[in-house]
Amino acid sequence: MKQKKGLQDTTESTMKFEFNPKEGIDNPALSLAEDSEPEGASQLRFCLLRKAGAESLGFSLCQEAGGLCPIVRKVTPGGLAYRRGLRDGDRILEVNGVNVEGMGYLRVIWKIKSSSKQVLLTVLEGNTYEVAKALNRDLNQLLSNYGRPRLCCVSKGSSGFGFSVSAPEGVTGIFQLSVLQDGPAQKVGVPHGSWLVELNGVSVKNWTTAQLNQKIKQSSSPMGLLVMDSRSEAVYRQCGVKVTASLADASWVPFQVRKLQMKRGEDGYGFLMKEEKSSSGKRAQFLRDLDTGLPAEKAGMREGDCLLAVNGEVVEDLDHQEVVSRIRSDNQRVTLLVIDSEGSKFYNTVGVSPLVFYDDEDFPSSLLITCGSTSPGTLQEQSWPTLIPCHSQISSNIGPPGQPDPTPWTFTREDHDGFSQAF
């Protein structure tokens, strides 16, 4: 696959943008001329991986002892990652627009696994990375010319949502937002002058102004807006990346994933889990009938919470009995990731899992994939070991649903790298 040109490093931050209705937003500062590219930019690539059904991503992720960036290994020939341009030895700099250099191996694994059916990797060819590090080059300079789109949750006020839309006459899909000062949109982080990408999880690319206005009038409250600035839009467009909510900065969204750590009491955990139809139409696990004074209530569980993960394993696509099996894998304690009912509805509306935006600072030091785990892929509470100079290839041996596998992970030693996880 032909490599695409990367991002140009420019110091001319005052350059103006010119808008061409036929071509979209054009930023001359993002010219890809060879003589003005910083060294290494030509190897910087976006790899957007979209899974179909049970398809795997088709690569392993390795962490060197003392290394800062995860290394791509064992790319399956002809597989999804290979078809999207990922190659053995590539260094991953970003996952869904988030810089992962120095983040910690398990947190990077979590970010990829929690991305559901789609993940965007920003990668740099391995030799180029080594040369850049040897020369003490700041790789952030390659990433600083674009920003992530922003996901905003806008509730309707007495005078509406607090923004208006302008668009070139006769052109579809190009909408700029004028945000009312101190209005509902501004209060939840919608930037004035930003460009609208999605409304309630649906791309506005082919909409007319009349269609957009009708959709806004019909929208429930709160409404999900995905917006971005013109410079970033130009970069993603030039690199051929479709912008969706999974790439967004969701820090302005008021609904947060919560971690509940519970130790089983004499009367159990004190909650009932029910499989119900969610607002998206899919079946999901909801937590009901909390008992006063028992571990669930004490841990902060709320009536109607939607269950997202059990002991570090995403369970959104599992059926009721499989989730029950995960919770019962340890009869003494359990760690759940949940979101309240309103948050579940909002993220269903915008079409992305809230786990995409969850990041626990304690995650890398408190969770470890261990041999002998009682359920496939479970991250057990252990101390983080010293990385040793070996390559540990991890493969999953998953038994029938609902039946724990006593040895779900297999480790083999190779080469000189540290830990590895297959996707």
Side-chain angles (χ1 to χ4, degrees):
M1 177 179 287
K2 184 178 179 181
Q3 289 185 349
K4 296 179 181 178
K5 293 293 183 183
L7 313 182
Q8 177 186 348
D9 183 22
T10 175
T11 57
E12 296 182 290
S13 58
T14 58
M15 265 191 147
K16 296 182 178 179
F17 299 95
E18 294 185 5
F19 178 73
N20 185 326
K22 294 183 179 180
E23 298 181 1
I25 306 162
D26 182 37
N27 177 11
L30 292 169
S31 168
L32 300 179
E34 292 287 348
D35 57 357
S36 61
E37 255 186 357
E39 185 174 349
S42 61
Q43 282 80 30
L44 190 67
R45 313 189 309 279
F46 288 101
C47 296
L48 183 62
L49 309 179
R50 291 194 186 100
K51 292 198 298 182
E55 181 183 22
S56 69
L57 296 179
F59 73 97
S60 292
L61 190 65
C62 178
Q63 179 72 59
E64 282 184 323
L68 295 177
C69 282
I71 309 171
V72 173
R73 295 295 190 201
K74 299 185 182 297
V75 180
T76 304
L80 177 59
Y82 186 89
R83 300 196 305 270
R84 295 296 179 265
L86 206 61
R87 294 295 180 263
D88 189 88
D90 281 343
R91 300 293 185 126
I92 296 180
L93 305 184
E94 294 181 328
V95 176
N96 289 336
V98 178
N99 192 323
V100 298
E101 187 175 19
M103 176 178 285
Y105 179 59
L106 289 180
R107 282 173 67 190
V108 178
I109 290 176
W110 171 262
K111 283 195 168 295
I112 295 175
K113 285 197 167 187
S114 64
S115 294
S116 187
K117 301 296 183 182
Q118 174 176 302
V119 61
L120 177 67
L121 305 178
T122 308
V123 302
L124 188 64
E125 189 272 331
N127 291 332
T128 303
Y129 175 86
E130 295 295 343
V131 170
K133 283 302 182 183
L135 297 175
N136 292 319
R137 296 188 185 276
D138 183 6
L139 295 179
N140 287 323
Q141 291 182 0
L142 299 179
L143 307 172
S144 61
N145 285 319
Y146 72 98
R148 298 166 66 193
R150 180 179 292 187
L151 182 61
C152 299
C153 176
V154 188
S155 296
K156 193 171 186 178
S158 57
S159 58
F161 290 103
F163 68 89
S164 61
V165 179
S166 59
E169 186 176 353
V171 177
T172 61
I174 305 295
F175 305 110
Q176 190 171 31
L177 304 184
S178 296
V179 179
L180 180 67
Q181 187 173 0
D182 295 326
Q186 186 190 57
K187 290 179 179 179
V188 295
V190 180
H192 180 75
S194 56
W195 300 90
L196 182 62
V197 181
E198 289 184 351
L199 173 67
N200 289 334
V202 180
S203 172
V204 302
K205 182 179 180 180
N206 297 318
W207 290 0
T208 64
T209 302
Q211 288 174 320
L212 175 62
N213 288 332
Q214 184 66 22
K215 295 288 186 180
I216 293 174
K217 288 180 181 179
Q218 295 173 346
S219 177
S220 59
S221 179
M223 176 171 60
L225 297 182
L226 184 67
V227 299
M228 67 189 310
D229 64 271
S230 56
R231 178 187 294 271
S232 302
E233 188 278 339
V235 172
Y236 280 113
R237 174 166 46 83
Q238 290 172 354
C239 294
V241 174
K242 180 182 178 181
V243 176
T244 67
S246 63
L247 309 180
D249 173 3
S251 58
W252 286 85
V253 175
F255 310 114
Q256 303 296 323
V257 173
R258 309 191 320 277
K259 180 168 68 174
L260 311 179
Q261 295 177 306
M262 297 178 286
K263 185 176 180 180
R264 186 181 180 89
E266 293 182 359
D267 297 320
Y269 293 117
F271 70 93
L272 182 65
M273 184 177 74
K274 294 183 178 180
E275 184 174 275
E276 304 170 14
K277 184 179 290 187
S278 69
S279 58
S280 68
K282 291 179 58 178
R283 307 297 294 182
Q285 310 303 318
F286 291 89
L287 310 180
R288 305 286 188 188
D289 300 340
L290 276 62
D291 292 326
T292 303
L294 290 189
E297 185 192 55
K298 290 180 178 180
M301 187 180 292
R302 303 170 189 167
E303 177 70 25
D305 277 344
C306 181
L307 181 59
L308 305 171
V310 177
N311 294 332
E313 181 183 8
V314 180
V315 298
E316 290 175 293
D317 292 329
L318 300 184
D319 65 30
H320 185 75
Q321 290 304 318
E322 290 175 308
V323 179
V324 170
S325 175
R326 301 309 191 266
I327 294 174
R328 289 177 174 174
S329 63
D330 184 334
N331 61 7
Q332 294 300 317
R333 62 185 69 240
V334 68
T335 298
L336 307 180
L337 295 182
V338 303
I339 192 165
D340 64 35
S341 57
E342 289 302 309
S344 176
K345 290 179 183 177
F346 174 77
Y347 281 109
N348 282 334
T349 298
V350 298
V352 64
S353 169
L355 289 176
V356 172
F357 312 109
Y358 177 74
D359 191 15
D360 187 347
E361 292 294 333
D362 296 330
F363 184 83
S365 62
S366 62
L367 295 174
L368 172 65
I369 300 175
T370 59
C371 186
S373 167
T374 54
S375 71
T378 298
L379 300 177
Q380 301 288 341
E381 294 185 341
Q382 298 283 343
S383 59
W384 181 247
T386 303
L387 288 175
I388 55 177
C390 73
H391 179 93
S392 305
Q393 178 61 41
I394 307 178
S395 61
S396 177
N397 306 310
I398 301 178
Q403 296 184 19
D405 186 339
T407 56
W409 300 103
T410 303
F411 294 77
T412 59
R413 295 171 63 94
E414 293 179 19
D415 303 332
H416 57 280
D417 297 322
F419 292 103
S420 174
Q421 168 69 57
F423 292 98

